[in-house]
């Protein structure tokens, strides 16, 4: 991947983190803060990969990254089905 695209990814994740945080404040939605925290994690991870020279997607770091992604995905899917179940009960 080129240096330009790596910088774009860092900026993209950072902007998404700020936007979801702003939405969380405006809508008073706690799930937006969880998503914002995930985007902050992605921003830091990609920034470390881009600017530190450490390959953050290989070896142990790659495994940690994948475990965090699966955990966040499971959390989001759980929140989705829980909200659907609560919505159908009303």
């Amino acid at each position: 991947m080129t240096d330009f695209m790596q910088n774009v990814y860092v900026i993209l994740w950072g902007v998404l983190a700020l936007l979801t945080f702003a939405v969380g404040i405006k809508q008073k939605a706690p799930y937006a803060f969880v998503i914002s925290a995930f985007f902050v994690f992605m921003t830091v991870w990609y920034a470390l990969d881009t600017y530190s020279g450490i390959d953050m997607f290989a070896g142990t770091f790659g495994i940690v990254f994948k475990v965090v992604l699966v955990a966040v995905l499971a959390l989001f899917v759980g929140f989705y089905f829980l909200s659907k179940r609560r919505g159908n009960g009303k």
Side-chain angles (χ1 to χ4, degrees):
M1 187 178 332
T2 65
D3 290 336
F4 173 75
M5 284 305 297
Q6 288 177 332
N7 291 331
V8 168
Y9 277 131
V10 172
I11 293 168
L12 169 78
W13 292 119
V15 168
L16 285 173
L18 290 174
L19 286 174
T20 54
F21 186 75
V23 166
I25 290 174
K26 185 175 182 180
Q27 302 286 330
K28 294 182 176 61
Y31 61 85
F33 295 118
V34 174
I35 295 170
S36 181
F38 171 69
F39 288 150
V40 167
F41 167 78
M42 293 294 286
T43 302
V44 170
W45 201 270
Y46 273 88
L48 284 172
D49 184 57
T50 301
Y51 304 121
S52 71
I54 301 170
D55 190 7
M56 298 298 288
F57 297 103
T60 305
F61 288 129
I63 293 169
V64 169
F65 181 74
K66 291 171 188 168
V67 167
V68 169
L69 287 181
V70 167
V72 169
L73 177 65
L75 184 71
F76 288 160
V77 169
F79 280 151
Y80 173 75
F81 284 119
L82 185 63
S83 69
K84 291 295 268 188
R85 181 169 291 192
R86 286 183 182 169
N88 290 339
K90 289 185 177 180

